Amino acid sequence: MAVGALIGAAVMAAADEIVFHQLLGWHHFYDRSTTKVGLLSDGLLHTAELLGLVAGFFLHADLRRRRALAAAHARAGFFLGLGGFQLFDGVVDHKLLRVHQIRYGVDVTPYDWAWNLAGLVLLLAGCALAVRAARRARTGPAA
């Protein structure tokens, strides 16, 4: 499950970086300084996300090679990673640390609600998948 969570968090970081930072240009990872510092922070986030993807896929391949991969648990972890990253970003980065907002020059309330609710839905989907995977592991595939 941890490998799936690592890959999920890295995928969500990539989606955030590509869509909101690069394509839409709504913010940088760190917006409390100059544009140059903002671009540097985006590069560091991109580096961390790529390292997470590479490490996650190497660990995933190793589990498959050793026939130790529990696919249902990996799927649950993936959704937990997606939702966990998104909620962490929305609550900690946006509200507690205020390193950036989703968007500037508009009322951020609907953006915050959409971002955090989407993260919560992904996290709850991961929880449901984890419960289902645990039940199947205890009772066998027929459950």
Side-chain angles (χ1 to χ4, degrees):
M1 200 174 300
V3 171
L6 175 61
I7 294 170
V11 165
M12 187 54 76
D16 179 27
E17 169 69 24
I18 292 165
V19 174
F20 296 100
H21 299 218
Q22 295 174 8
L23 295 176
L24 296 174
W26 283 0
H27 63 263
H28 298 292
F29 179 71
Y30 185 74
D31 272 339
R32 298 184 71 173
S33 186
T34 64
T35 301
K36 188 174 182 176
V37 170
L39 288 171
L40 173 65
S41 70
D42 286 347
L44 294 172
L45 174 63
H46 195 56
T47 300
E49 142 228 321
L50 286 174
L51 289 172
L53 282 172
V54 170
F57 282 117
F58 268 101
L59 291 167
H60 187 273
D62 182 57
L63 288 171
R64 284 182 56 113
R65 180 188 59 77
R66 292 186 291 121
R67 299 184 195 279
L69 180 69
H73 288 88
R75 273 190 298 280
F78 180 74
F79 278 90
L80 290 169
L82 290 172
F85 177 89
Q86 192 159 340
L87 271 180
F88 181 89
D89 186 44
V91 174
V92 176
D93 292 340
H94 297 178
K95 297 303 167 200
L96 297 177
L97 299 178
R98 297 192 166 276
V99 295
H100 65 262
Q101 290 299 319
I102 294 175
R103 194 168 180 193
Y104 294 95
V106 298
D107 177 16
V108 296
T109 304
Y111 294 93
D112 285 339
W113 277 101
W115 186 260
N116 291 326
L117 284 175
L120 183 61
V121 167
L122 290 167
L123 197 62
L124 290 174
C127 289
L129 289 170
V131 167
R132 183 176 178 197
R135 283 184 183 150
R136 284 193 172 188
R138 279 193 306 269
T139 61

